[in-house]
Amino acid sequence: MKWLLSVSLLLVCIAALVAADTPADCRYEKILGTWEFSLGPAGSDNTIDCNKAYQVEKKIRITLQEPDVAVDEQGRKGFWTVIYNQGFEVNIDGRVYFAFSKFVKDSSGKVTSICNQTLPGWVHDDAKYDPGNWGCYTGNKIQNAPASASVPSVESHFTLSHEAEQKRVNTMYRPDHAFVARINKSQDSWRATVYPEHSGHTIGELERRAGGR
């Protein structure tokens, strides 16, 4: 469970600050369903620019279920989480996928969210953030979740022990300035930034502010 704690903690730390800058509005219920991820070549480091064209080498399908279960075509289970209403992360089979939800802006500045697609995102080994086996991918939702989707029992998906969960939520938030800089360097359609008002809060406080438990 140590790797689960470290990965989820890092993503919460990064995402709680960065993701609120995109104009997309794609909430939890819009992300539920089966997604096809189109993956480019792996083997890069975390400076990879996923806005540049790349050749798709393979495609995988992952179903995102309530409350946070990810299941791939081979039946392997992982977990997933939305990042505010801006994007989502999937951790499954030793790989982490993160992308912002797609949006378009017309000449008047009106924004339309396209919640069944993602912008080009990043994929890497779950234990190697910097450097690591990084690549790019895009996601397209090919099937919505059933309207009467049931919530699986806690035994059917990853959970943290009470002690580990308390440690996670009580950890102080620390902004990742390097990650923000890499996002801004790799594209110019929007600007990520750091919000000073998030400093001095724990991960649990930020999750509750975002509508979490």
Side-chain angles (χ1 to χ4, degrees):
M1 303 300 287
K2 184 178 180 181
W3 64 268
L4 173 57
L5 177 60
S6 61
V7 170
S8 59
L9 177 59
L10 180 58
L11 256 294
V12 170
C13 289
I14 293 172
L17 211 54
V18 176
D21 273 349
T22 77
D25 183 13
C26 295
R27 306 186 184 190
Y28 175 84
E29 62 275 10
K30 296 288 187 179
I31 305 301
L32 287 167
T34 299
W35 288 77
E36 183 174 77
F37 290 171
S38 299
L39 282 64
S44 298
D45 63 20
N46 62 355
T47 64
I48 187 171
D49 183 355
C50 289
N51 282 310
K52 294 182 178 179
Y54 58 87
Q55 182 176 353
V56 174
E57 291 194 342
K58 68 175 181 178
K59 296 183 179 183
I60 62 173
R61 292 187 178 185
I62 299 174
T63 299
L64 306 181
Q65 303 174 349
E66 296 183 276
D68 59 358
V69 181
V71 184
D72 68 13
E73 296 169 287
Q74 286 72 43
R76 293 175 296 224
K77 290 186 177 181
F79 60 95
W80 71 282
T81 184
V82 290
I83 309 302
Y84 283 85
N85 58 344
Q86 311 296 297
F88 62 97
E89 179 219 43
V90 180
N91 190 316
I92 192 168
D93 193 29
R95 299 284 276 167
V96 177
Y97 304 81
F98 173 75
F100 293 106
S101 296
K102 189 173 182 178
F103 63 91
V104 294
K105 186 183 296 186
D106 65 20
S107 58
S108 68
K110 179 182 177 181
V111 172
T112 300
S113 299
I114 305 176
C115 298
N116 61 349
Q117 298 179 42
T118 73
L119 296 173
W122 302 267
V123 53
H124 56 81
D125 294 340
D126 62 9
K128 295 181 179 178
Y129 275 85
D130 189 10
N133 189 25
W134 289 65
C136 301
Y137 82 101
T138 55
N140 289 277
K141 188 161 74 165
I142 59 177
Q143 184 176 345
N144 290 324
S148 59
S150 60
V151 177
S153 65
V154 294
E155 290 80 14
S156 67
H157 63 279
F158 293 111
T159 58
L160 296 175
S161 68
H162 175 74
E163 293 79 9
E165 175 65 10
Q166 289 302 305
K167 181 178 180 181
R168 185 185 73 81
V169 299
N170 290 324
T171 298
M172 296 302 295
Y173 166 75
R174 293 183 178 86
D176 190 326
H177 295 273
F179 188 77
V180 172
R182 289 198 298 273
I183 290 177
N184 290 333
K185 182 179 178 180
S186 67
Q187 53 81 46
D188 57 9
S189 60
W190 57 278
R191 298 291 295 174
T193 190
V194 170
Y195 294 100
E197 61 266 29
H198 291 316
S199 297
H201 293 280
T202 65
I203 298 301
E205 289 171 337
L206 292 176
E207 287 181 343
R208 289 190 292 273
R209 180 182 294 185
R213 53 195 175 96

